[in-house]
Amino acid sequence: MSKQLVILGATGSIGSSTLKVIRENPQSFSLFGVTGGKNLATMLDICREFSPQYALMADEASNHKLREAIKAESLKVEVPSGDKAIAELVKASEVELVMAAIVGAAGLLPTLAAVEAGKTVLLANKEALVMSGAIFMEAARKSGAQVLPVDSEHNAIFQCMPEQVQQQLGYCDLSNAGVSKILLTGSGGPFRYNDLDSLSSVTPAQACAHPNWSMGQKISVDSATMMNKGLEYIEAKRLFNTQPNQIDVIIHPQSIIHSMVQYCDGSVLAQMGQPDMATPIAHVMAYPQRQVSGVEALDFFSIGELSFMPPDYAKYPCLKLAIDACYDSQTATTCLNAANEVAVEAFLAERIKFTQIAEVVATCLDKQSYMGAETELSVLLEVDQRARMHADAAVKRICA
């Protein structure tokens, strides 16, 4: 019997890769519901091909247009509306799997709703853990929800871990499991070989031209600044309960090794594969089994050399900001994420320079302060909003 799946963020790159895996395994999965932002054309194509029971857009105007278009084509797809529509969708009793792929802070509440409903959550929205990691993992423990990491790096780490760690995410003891260190790999983005002085003139188009991965604009810029790796560092800390000496970042330009786990006996296990998100998505959708992903296996005779280097924090100040925030507080990581979203948006709009993204984030971290218990979601959401206000002000000062 096929598993019923909801894709949050179906019109994005992760959503597209998830649909690719469904095409490869049509007998194993049924698309119960999909959500999107404003990409009406893509959402209509999904409805025509997969006939989900429900489809909705977060943007109300786009949702109205979707409802009219579905009615005009006589498609058997319902288009709910309202603030609680997405939460109600993921909580539906028929749903077994929820692909959480909404980019940024906007994905937090829908993803948390799926966790609280006890679903198997395929986590591609790293901001959910960056903003509210302790709350998120505690909610999963209380509800019995299974959280499976989709990010290629965290999925690689997960695959290389012993079963006792896989079954205790958020609360595992790496030392007792024989694990000495997580080696979190990153490509270094498109500017890894650039001189530091050249980075101030980088354009949005250049920042979005990732050498290995096909991704959306925001995550492509985060990859170029290595903020994405910083957010992944925070996510890894929450998933695998790491201490500072249990995780290192390694630049691996070829993106063939997606991450590694070092054991106390000196062994290092690495997960390798093509830089295609369909591979980790296929893994979590079928876990603990394996299934076809539609991705070609590696040809080791054509790979050539694999290289590794330490990150240069002068070139990647966003990475250092994230690592420092990780072991500071949940407030700090929430602030970091919010400020970065505002700064990246300003860079893509050509209001600030590439190198000023880190400046905006650093300014906001200097201003962040505790406003209550970090275990309360309302407090963290307030931190998020205040950080965005500070970031907006910082951008305006730069533009003045």
Side-chain angles (χ1 to χ4, degrees):
M1 187 174 179
S2 63
K3 293 182 179 179
Q4 298 272 29
L5 170 72
V6 167
I7 305 177
L8 302 177
T11 58
S13 60
I14 295 295
S16 176
S17 294
T18 305
L19 295 172
K20 174 182 176 180
V21 174
I22 294 176
R23 290 188 192 98
E24 293 287 338
N25 304 274
Q27 304 305 314
S28 299
F29 305 99
S30 296
L31 200 56
F32 183 81
V34 287
T35 77
K38 295 182 180 181
N39 192 335
L40 180 62
T42 299
M43 183 61 82
L44 274 172
D45 286 341
I46 294 171
C47 291
R48 293 181 187 114
E49 180 180 359
F50 293 93
S51 299
Q53 292 185 47
Y54 299 93
L56 64 134
M57 313 293 284
D59 177 70
E60 190 55 41
S62 299
N63 203 46
H64 177 73
K65 292 177 182 178
L66 176 65
R67 185 180 296 108
E68 293 300 312
I70 284 177
K71 182 179 179 181
E73 296 187 27
S74 299
L75 299 177
K76 294 182 179 180
V77 180
E78 292 187 41
V79 183
S81 60
D83 295 338
K84 298 181 180 180
I86 297 180
E88 291 171 355
L89 179 62
V90 299
K91 291 178 180 179
S93 60
E94 299 94 330
V95 175
E96 295 178 66
L97 304 177
V98 176
M99 171 58 73
I102 298 175
V103 175
L108 171 59
L109 293 180
T111 305
L112 190 57
V115 167
E116 290 174 340
K119 307 299 183 181
T120 296
V121 178
L122 315 179
L123 187 64
N125 172 268
K126 62 178 64 66
E127 289 81 6
L129 291 179
V130 171
M131 289 181 64
S132 62
I135 296 172
F136 191 91
M137 298 311 296
E138 180 61 22
R141 183 159 71 167
K142 285 183 177 179
S143 70
Q146 184 174 38
V147 177
L148 298 174
V150 171
D151 270 351
S152 60
E153 294 82 0
H154 303 89
N155 182 263
I157 295 164
F158 182 85
Q159 291 194 50
C160 293
M161 286 290 185
E163 185 179 359
Q164 69 188 90
V165 171
Q166 293 181 349
Q167 298 302 320
Q168 295 180 344
L169 290 187
Y171 301 94
C172 52
D173 188 325
L174 296 184
S175 295
N176 283 347
V179 174
S180 60
K181 188 165 288 190
I182 288 170
L183 304 174
L184 184 65
T185 61
S187 71
F191 310 127
R192 55 183 173 254
Y193 301 121
N194 287 42
D195 292 333
L196 192 61
D197 293 341
S198 69
L199 296 181
S200 63
S201 60
V202 163
T203 67
Q206 291 171 327
C208 291
H210 196 283
N212 302 336
W213 296 91
S214 175
M215 304 179 292
Q217 283 191 317
K218 197 270 182 181
I219 194 172
S220 294
V221 174
D222 282 350
S223 180
T225 64
M226 283 197 77
M227 176 62 89
N228 193 49
K229 200 56 49 183
L231 298 178
E232 289 172 3
Y233 186 104
I234 298 166
E235 185 181 5
K237 192 264 185 190
R238 290 299 182 183
L239 286 170
F240 303 106
N241 197 26
T242 63
Q243 300 303 312
N245 64 342
Q246 291 179 315
I247 181 168
D248 284 339
V249 175
I250 298 176
I251 292 181
H252 168 50
Q254 294 81 16
S255 296
I256 296 298
I257 295 177
H258 299 301
S259 274
M260 299 173 277
V261 173
Q262 178 180 302
Y263 284 82
C264 60
D265 61 3
S267 299
V268 178
L269 301 187
Q271 190 271 337
M272 307 172 70
Q274 301 283 3
D276 190 319
M277 284 305 300
T279 297
I281 288 170
H283 173 258
V284 293
M285 287 175 69
Y287 178 83
Q289 308 301 320
R290 296 278 179 171
Q291 66 181 353
V292 174
S293 68
V295 179
E296 291 293 325
L298 287 175
D299 177 0
F300 285 92
F301 296 108
S302 65
I303 288 175
E305 294 183 355
L306 301 179
S307 56
F308 308 91
M309 62 190 78
D312 179 354
Y313 292 131
K315 183 178 289 187
Y316 302 114
C318 284
L319 175 60
K320 184 64 165 62
L321 289 170
I323 291 173
D324 289 345
C326 179
Y327 294 104
D328 181 325
S329 63
Q330 184 73 79
T331 301
T333 58
T334 299
C335 177
L336 172 102
N337 178 72
N340 180 65
E341 287 189 13
V342 172
V344 170
E345 184 179 358
F347 167 69
L348 288 170
E350 301 185 60
R351 298 177 63 205
I352 64 174
K353 295 179 180 179
F354 180 76
T355 49
Q356 290 172 326
I357 294 173
E359 293 178 22
V360 171
V361 176
T363 297
C364 294
L365 284 169
D366 287 341
K367 290 182 178 296
Q368 70 97 8
S369 59
Y370 299 94
M371 294 180 293
E374 293 187 307
T375 55
E376 294 180 10
L377 185 59
S378 60
V379 171
L380 296 175
L381 292 175
E382 177 65 18
V383 170
D384 176 88
Q385 290 305 306
R386 289 198 183 189
R388 291 175 192 276
M389 290 172 57
H390 287 312
D392 279 331
V395 168
K396 288 176 181 176
R397 284 195 298 271
I398 291 171
C399 296

